[in-house]
Amino acid sequence: VLMVQREVAERIAAPPGKMSYLSVFVQYHARVRIAFPVPAHAFEPDPAVESAVIVVEPYDADDRLDPETEDQLWRLVQAAFRERRKMIHNVLSRQLPIDGTRVTAALEAAHIDPDRRPQTLAVGEWLALREAIGPIGEDRRRAVEPLAVGAEGRLQDAGPGERAVLALEHRVEAEHELLLVGEVVDHVVA
């Protein structure tokens, strides 16, 4: 049982359609539900955010994939959420070192419409897709050029500026989610 910021609780316990890397990761490891909200006025002084109590019930260890297969699962999920508002077929074809025809065949075998978005897939669908797609080769993520800050403290264009900023925002969001995942897993294990 944990108390976290309400928005974090909602992300962790999100249903398909609102899933994120964080919700897939936590829900792979445990059943999660929001027990009840905790209003800001329950604290002294009142914080600027509301909280929620979540119940995290870990699955048995024998329900887990072996470490190598689990690593492949997280590479697949992470690749898809790099462009979470894009169609799953397109994003996986771009983000993974896998031919587009193999992605199409895996989606078909897992009974997943290639036009769906990553946030619509449930944990079981990710597991079925990982099984259907098979081994994933070397990680081919493109490095994002660092953003330069000018003398006035403003961002300078680093090539295609908007793309660089969006990539940086996505990287910060992903790192924040991973920190939250680490905190949740540490609490569950303890």
Side-chain angles (χ1 to χ4, degrees):
V1 178
L2 302 167
M3 182 164 44
V4 295
Q5 187 174 332
R6 182 180 51 84
E7 290 83 3
V8 173
E10 290 170 351
R11 285 186 85 176
I12 290 171
K18 296 182 179 182
M19 299 287 275
S20 68
Y21 182 84
L22 175 63
S23 53
V24 173
F25 184 89
V26 175
Q27 291 177 34
Y28 165 78
H29 290 285
R31 267 181 300 284
V32 181
R33 66 181 171 84
I34 298 176
F36 54 88
V38 180
H41 69 267
F43 300 94
E44 184 65 38
D46 291 3
V49 297
E50 292 184 359
S51 299
V53 172
I54 60 172
V55 177
V56 181
E57 300 173 275
Y59 294 121
D60 293 334
D62 61 350
D63 287 344
R64 303 269 194 294
L65 298 171
D66 65 83
E68 185 177 323
T69 305
E70 188 173 324
D71 180 61
Q72 297 280 309
L73 171 68
W74 300 128
R75 286 190 52 213
L76 172 68
V77 174
Q78 191 175 50
F81 278 102
R82 282 188 201 121
E83 300 178 53
R84 68 175 178 243
R85 290 185 175 84
K86 303 292 184 188
M87 290 182 280
I88 191 83
H89 176 272
N90 294 340
V91 69
L92 292 179
S93 296
R94 278 193 298 271
Q95 295 291 335
L96 292 175
I98 295 173
D99 182 73
T101 56
R102 188 168 149 207
V103 171
T104 300
L107 289 166
E108 186 176 311
H111 307 289
I112 298 170
D113 183 335
D115 293 339
R116 287 177 61 190
R117 311 268 191 250
Q119 66 266 27
T120 67
L121 273 63
V123 174
E125 291 174 301
W126 285 112
L127 291 167
L129 181 56
R130 212 283 336 136
E131 178 71 25
I133 213 161
I136 299 171
E138 294 289 320
D139 193 353
R140 70 175 192 201
R141 281 185 285 179
R142 295 176 195 96
V144 176
E145 295 178 26
L147 296 176
V149 178
E152 298 107 25
R154 295 185 184 164
L155 291 177
Q156 296 176 343
D157 191 17
E162 184 179 10
R163 292 178 71 199
V165 170
L166 291 173
L168 179 62
E169 288 174 353
H170 181 75
R171 183 183 300 164
V172 168
E173 180 179 308
E175 288 175 7
H176 177 70
E177 284 188 358
L178 290 176
L179 287 172
L180 292 173
V181 166
E183 291 175 19
V184 169
V185 170
D186 287 346
H187 282 96
V188 169
V189 171

